Amino acid sequence: MSDQTFHLPDVGEGLTEAEIVSWRVAPGDTVDVNDVLVEIETAKSLVELPSPFAGTVGELLVAEGATVDVGAAIITISGGQDAAAPASPAAPAADAGEGSGSVLVGYGSAEQVHSRRRKPAEKPVAASVGVVAKPPIRKLARDLGVDLASVVPSGPAGEVTREDVVAHASQASVFRNIETPEWPEVREETIAVAAAVSEVDDVRVESIPVRGVRKATASAMTSSAYSAPHVSVWTDVDATRTMELVKRLKASPDFADIKVSPLLIMARAVIWAVRRTPMVNAAWVEGDDGAQISVRHYVNLGIAAATPRGLLVPNIKDAQDLSMRDLARALEKLTLTAREGRTAPADQQGGTITITNIGVFGMDAGTPIINPGESGIVALGTIRQKPWVVDGEVRPRWVTTVAGSFDHRVIDGDGMSRFIADVAAVLEEPALLVE
């Protein structure tokens, strides 16, 4: 059989371009249908592309780090048979007149795709010889900058689990500012790119290409900031009872295998407050017949997540129907998936209101920008002990600040103030959630 060419497909999210992150095969490798060929980064997620052909890898047509348009030829494969299944209608996987056919990652189940040769990280954190951990856990450790050899394993067979890595990374982040790097701190790959473009000797200035998640975030935030008139309000909250509830939940057998944090109570508070002020869950929609306000009677709760790839806002679908335990599990899954850079495009679409937990960075409050397609975003500040007046006496209490930004075209001042007051009321007295 003659050489067959695999073209960059649209992986189901309407993308126009993607970056080649890493090739999983090399010229001369033998591949089967559904073996992973390459990992790409789109504006929303990392995606592994499987081979629609069986045969021998001929030529890698695009270098790692390059950004190419959908439909561009990226690899040739020769001497084998193509898949029997029909190609995805959205994915021009092969040359015209040639069969293609595999199910792309994201279209089919994960079990259908078989990873082949995985390139070692260019800058591994540590060899971690003797550490028992699955390949996805090792990749997560590399992405988070965690030395697996320093992680205490909790798996039943003595293996390092995903939770072990995340917990270690969270603890290490507390000390992120203790060591100050020397000037200049410029990435080697950035220098290489600059040198390839022009003769640049001054490495004191670093130029970072704007693409992928950063490009999508910049576009979305600019559009939101200049189309929706933002108004922000905030209030301080005595969250002592919230901290007590979190402590009790952590000790409960029902939550033994689930991470519990104040964000869980915040999420329940937002869902509860939305029912009392539905307009914060609405959207301003421009149509051919003029503008209208679309009020959603469900909550797809977005959680702004800082990831190694940039800011992502995945959301929990129909969060209003979840129990406290199910919501805690959904939050944990959302966070872990985002940190691994594996959030599916569908999980980032259709959000109705967002929470940004700036408290994890030690911030008290902020004025966040509304996520496009929504009318409200709530910020939870850090929770720390402060002097607080209780029954006429000054006592140490756990205090935080709840802030929110809103689209003033949709929500009036009384509505946004009432909503933030309701969220604050639940954090002060979580028993309000029991109805």
Side-chain angles (χ1 to χ4, degrees), residues 120-126 142 185-190:
E122 293 181 1
K123 297 180 181 179
V125 175
R142 290 197 300 271
E185 185 67 18
V186 180
R187 289 187 288 271
E188 293 178 2
E189 56 268 30
T190 302

Side-chain angles (χ1 to χ4, degrees), residues 136-137 140 160-167 333 336-337 340:
I137 305 304
L140 175 61
V160 175
T161 67
R162 179 179 301 172
E163 290 74 17
D164 297 335
V165 172
V166 172
K333 180 181 178 181
L336 291 174
T337 303
E340 290 181 351

Side-chain angles (χ1 to χ4, degrees), residues 175 181 356 413:
F175 305 100
T356 176

Side-chain angles (χ1 to χ4, degrees), residues 83-106:
S88 167
D95 284 331
E98 295 178 347
S100 60
S102 75
V103 177
L104 290 177
V105 176

Side-chain angles (χ1 to χ4, degrees), residues 7 9 16 90 115 122 128 179 205 229-231 234-235 256 324 382 390:
H7 298 260
T16 60
S115 292
E122 293 181 1
S128 301
E179 295 183 3
V205 178
H230 285 54
V231 176
W234 55 88
T235 186
M324 183 80 85
T382 189
V390 180

Side-chain angles (χ1 to χ4, degrees), residues 162 332-344 347:
R162 179 179 301 172
E332 182 179 40
K333 180 181 178 181
L334 176 150
T335 302
L336 291 174
T337 303
R339 285 176 175 170
E340 290 181 351
R342 300 294 176 184
T343 302
D347 292 335

Side-chain angles (χ1 to χ4, degrees), residues 74-279:
I74 60 175
I75 186 175
T76 62
I77 297 174
S78 62
Q81 297 295 321
D82 54 322
S88 167
D95 284 331
E98 295 178 347
S100 60
S102 75
V103 177
L104 290 177
V105 176
Y107 296 140
S109 65
E111 289 76 15
Q112 292 176 292
V113 180
H114 317 290
S115 292
R116 291 185 62 80
R117 189 174 66 90
R118 184 179 295 269
K119 286 186 61 177
E122 293 181 1
K123 297 180 181 179
V125 175
S128 301
V129 177
V131 176
V132 180
K134 296 179 179 179
I137 305 304
R138 293 182 180 276
K139 182 180 185 304
L140 175 61
R142 290 197 300 271
D143 291 343
L144 297 180
V146 171
D147 180 1
L148 282 175
S150 64
V151 178
V152 178
S154 65
E159 75 275 13
V160 175
T161 67
R162 179 179 301 172
E163 290 74 17
D164 297 335
V165 172
V166 172
H168 188 90
S170 299
Q171 182 179 16
S173 68
V174 175
F175 305 100
R176 61 188 180 276
N177 291 325
I178 288 182
E179 295 183 3
T180 302
E182 296 292 333
W183 286 94
E185 185 67 18
V186 180
R187 289 187 288 271
E188 293 178 2
E189 56 268 30
T190 302
I191 298 175
V193 170
V197 175
S198 61
E199 296 181 359
V200 178
D201 296 324
D202 189 353
V203 297
R204 295 175 299 171
V205 178
E206 180 180 10
S207 296
I208 302 175
V210 178
R211 58 195 181 195
V213 171
R214 176 58 55 194
K215 183 177 180 180
T217 300
S219 176
M221 293 298 98
T222 300
S223 175
S224 177
Y226 288 100
S227 62
H230 285 54
V231 176
S232 299
V233 294
W234 55 88
T235 186
D236 291 336
V237 182
D238 177 0
T240 302
R241 286 193 172 93
T242 284
M243 298 301 286
E244 292 171 349
L245 175 58
V246 169
K247 184 177 181 180
R248 290 198 300 272
L249 292 177
K250 287 182 176 180
S252 169
D254 291 338
F255 290 82
D257 59 339
I258 306 174
K259 181 180 179 181
V260 178
S261 73
L263 179 61
L264 171 61
I265 314 304
M266 179 69 169
R268 287 299 297 268
V270 168
I271 296 169
W272 182 82
V274 161
R275 290 168 50 193
R276 293 164 57 88
T277 310
M279 296 303 288

